[in-house]
Amino acid sequence: MPIFAVKTTASQERTVADMIANREESEIHAVLAPDSLTSYVMVEADNNAVIERVLEEIPHARGLVSSGGQVGRSSMAEVEHFLSPTPDVEGIAEGDIVELVSGPFKGEKARVQRIDEGKDQVTVELYEATVPIPVTVRGDQIRVLDSEER
């Protein structure tokens, strides 16, 4: 099944994807608007004609991507990496200096002690605590300030 790239207005990818998905077209099978792909939506459909027909009625959709007169078809291999989420703890290493960006310790600085990729959690030790207290937080609750790997 071919996958087509649809050009959209910047920051309107999710809106365009929702409008395409809400259309009752049996020839359109799936719509993907990955956060890491700006100004594009991926659409799985039987052919490009059905997508072009649908896009005429959708604001912020600029049309199908094409090069050299060929409509921009993609394969599953090209979009596969958008389908599996990356863990929030990716890119964090033990010893990194982080800032807690949410929760009861928001704004506190800490050093990473342990990383649990399976649970997407990080155990940190707060810097300014008089007694070292390990605190376990979700990976999306911290921001790396300084990494030992750099």
Side-chain angles (χ1 to χ4, degrees):
M1 190 74 50
I3 299 170
F4 299 92
V6 175
K7 179 84 171 131
T8 68
T9 304
S11 303
Q12 296 296 321
E13 303 87 2
R14 188 86 57 202
T15 305
V16 171
D18 288 343
M19 291 176 145
I20 294 171
N22 289 334
R23 300 292 303 254
E24 294 186 11
E25 296 285 340
S26 61
E27 297 94 352
I28 295 178
H29 305 288
V31 182
L32 175 67
D35 292 334
S36 58
L37 192 61
T38 307
S39 300
Y40 293 96
V41 172
M42 306 307 289
V43 181
E44 181 181 31
D46 291 339
N47 58 55
N48 62 328
V50 67
I51 298 172
E52 288 173 348
R53 187 178 73 239
V54 167
L55 294 183
E56 289 175 2
E57 301 172 20
I58 295 180
H60 304 294
R62 299 288 173 239
L64 286 170
V65 175
S66 61
S67 69
Q70 293 285 66
V71 174
R73 286 184 175 214
S74 298
S75 66
M76 184 57 82
E78 291 176 309
V79 297
E80 202 168 38
H81 65 282
F82 293 122
L83 301 176
S84 57
T86 57
D88 291 321
V89 298
E90 190 172 287
I92 299 172
E94 289 182 15
D96 284 358
I97 307 302
V98 297
E99 177 184 8
L100 294 140
V101 294
S102 65
F105 299 106
K106 181 177 181 177
E108 293 286 330
K109 292 182 180 160
R111 181 180 298 277
V112 175
Q113 299 298 317
R114 230 179 8 259
I115 300 168
D116 186 345
E117 290 185 15
K119 294 181 180 178
D120 207 21
Q121 293 180 338
V122 178
T123 301
V124 298
E125 195 171 276
L126 300 176
Y127 255 162
E128 296 166 8
T130 52
V131 177
I133 304 169
V135 178
T136 302
V137 295
R138 291 191 330 259
D140 63 345
Q141 292 182 326
I142 61 173
R143 175 173 60 98
V144 176
L145 297 176
D146 187 29
S147 178
E148 289 184 348
E149 293 179 355
R150 291 183 194 145

